[in-house]
Amino acid sequence: QVQLAESGGASVQAGGTLRLSCAASGFTYSDYYMGWFRQTPGKEREGIAAAAPGGRTTFYADSVKERFTISRDNAKNTLYLQMNSLKPDDTAMYYCAAAHGRTWYGPLLPSTYNYWGQGTQVTVSE
């Protein structure tokens, strides 16, 4: 059974940092593209970062580039998102996702991904 479990969400002040984790199980993690997405009520899910199976190739949305860093530990089946210089606009539910074998729409588009976690809430206050 495929499982993606996010953790690390919290309420922080603007300028603060957080590190999200996503523990994966039930599939061959090292074969999958992994991504981080976020969503706020009434808005579409936004892809913000993705990492290729080997971890060396990464992609970022302009909104988080140079502030967020995606990384993965294939030995631990875990995906990370280091978030620095947080802004109130970063407030959202954050999801990790896994992609393999589907039609490729791009690393930051939700339709590329097969599996999704339940999300972890990040709230950034002024």
Side-chain angles (χ1 to χ4, degrees):
Q1 182 181 359
V2 172
Q3 288 191 327
L4 296 171
E6 302 94 336
S7 61
S11 294
V12 297
Q13 290 191 321
T17 64
L18 281 175
R19 189 192 197 201
L20 305 184
S21 299
C22 171
S25 61
F27 63 100
T28 307
Y29 177 78
S30 58
D31 286 347
Y32 279 64
Y33 252 87
M34 297 297 298
W36 285 102
F37 293 77
R38 66 186 183 187
Q39 190 171 23
T40 55
K43 292 189 177 181
E44 293 187 356
R45 193 164 292 190
E46 175 192 17
I48 57 172
R56 294 181 181 178
T57 301
T58 57
F59 304 87
Y60 294 95
D62 287 344
S63 58
V64 305
K65 201 172 291 184
E66 297 183 6
R67 297 189 300 123
F68 292 7
T69 302
I70 188 172
S71 62
R72 60 189 296 165
D73 186 334
N74 286 352
K76 295 183 178 179
N77 288 1
T78 303
L79 182 72
Y80 302 100
L81 185 68
Q82 178 66 42
M83 304 189 294
N84 299 330
S85 302
L86 283 161
K87 305 174 181 179
D89 284 350
D90 295 319
T91 295
M93 184 71 78
Y94 283 70
Y95 300 90
C96 70
H100 180 66
R102 286 170 62 95
T103 300
W104 184 254
Y105 295 100
L108 298 180
L109 291 181
S111 52
T112 293
Y113 289 79
N114 312 55
Y115 304 117
W116 294 85
Q118 294 299 306
T120 186
Q121 178 68 36
V122 172
T123 303
V124 185
S125 59
E126 292 282 2

